[in-house]
Each structure stands twice: as C-alpha cells, then as structure tokens.
Amino acid sequence: QVQLVESGGGLVQPGGSLRLSCTASGTIFSINAMGWYRQAPGKERELVASIISGSSPKYADSVKGRFTISRDDARNMVYLQMNSLKLEDTTVYYCNANIKRRSYLDASDYWGQGTQVTVSS
C-alpha cells in the first residue's frame, strides 16, 4: 500500500503565502514524477506544478513566478510554496506521485486526499 498525505492548506488573505507539504509512505521502491494539482467545483483537475528529480520543474502558466515546487527524495516529500496568492487560487489542492512499489512492477499514480486553500479578504 502507498499513501500520500497532504498538509498546509488553510485560509490566507490575497497576496499572502502558504506552503503545502505531501508525504508518500508505504511500500515504495522509487518515485518518478511528483506534483500538485487543483480542482475547482465543476471543473476538471488541472496540473499546478510537477517535478522529476534531475529535471526542471513545470508550472501552469497561471502560477509561474508565484509558486515553487520542490522535493526531498530522502523523505519522499514534495512541497509547494505559494506566494502572492490570488482569489482565483482558492480550491482543493491534490498531491500526486508516480510510484514504483517494487522494482519489477510498473509505476502507478497515487493521489492524496486533498487540502483546501482559501484566499479571501
């Protein structure tokens, strides 16, 4: 079994900052890409940022210059530093990781339960 657990969501004023964290635990052989997605009510889940070790991170155009993704491979963690938050950033954020549980198994995508980010004055 593999679990992804997010933390760090909450309420913040426009222009403020939040840092999301996600920890992967369980039977893990290796982790490929890790990322953050968000999904507003009635809309499709969209990629916010993703990172593969040794490669440049990728960001949605809407968050470039404001959000920074990073990972700690020793701890199986991924972070999302969110600065200059806007009202439209309000939604649920989900952690995602592409994980191989065993060396002989194909990698699969795993998701966290989601953490709410609310930007409001």
Side-chain angles (χ1 to χ4, degrees):
Q1 291 280 34
V2 171
Q3 276 191 317
L4 299 184
V5 178
E6 302 118 332
S7 62
L11 174 65
V12 64
Q13 292 185 338
S17 298
L18 282 175
R19 188 191 194 210
L20 304 183
S21 300
C22 173
T23 303
S25 63
T27 304
I28 297 172
F29 173 75
S30 64
I31 303 178
N32 301 318
M34 301 187 83
W36 291 93
Y37 289 70
R38 63 187 182 187
Q39 185 170 22
K43 294 188 176 181
E44 292 188 357
R45 191 170 294 188
E46 64 172 357
L47 174 67
V48 176
S50 66
I51 184 169
I52 299 175
S53 292
S55 299
S56 298
K58 296 182 179 180
Y59 297 94
D61 288 342
S62 58
V63 307
K64 282 181 181 176
R66 300 188 298 122
F67 292 9
T68 301
I69 189 171
S70 61
R71 61 190 281 174
D72 183 340
D73 289 335
R75 298 183 179 184
N76 291 338
M77 295 187 71
V78 63
Y79 306 94
L80 186 68
Q81 178 65 43
M82 304 185 294
N83 299 328
S84 302
L85 281 160
K86 303 177 180 180
L87 297 176
E88 53 264 40
D89 293 319
T90 296
T91 189
V92 179
Y93 287 71
Y94 297 90
C95 174
N96 169 269
N98 187 252
I99 295 174
K100 291 189 69 169
R101 296 181 58 207
R102 302 289 188 189
S103 60
Y104 51 84
L105 295 175
D106 291 335
S108 297
D109 277 337
Y110 294 87
W111 294 90
Q113 79 285 356
T115 185
Q116 176 71 42
V117 171
T118 302
V119 184
S120 175
S121 55

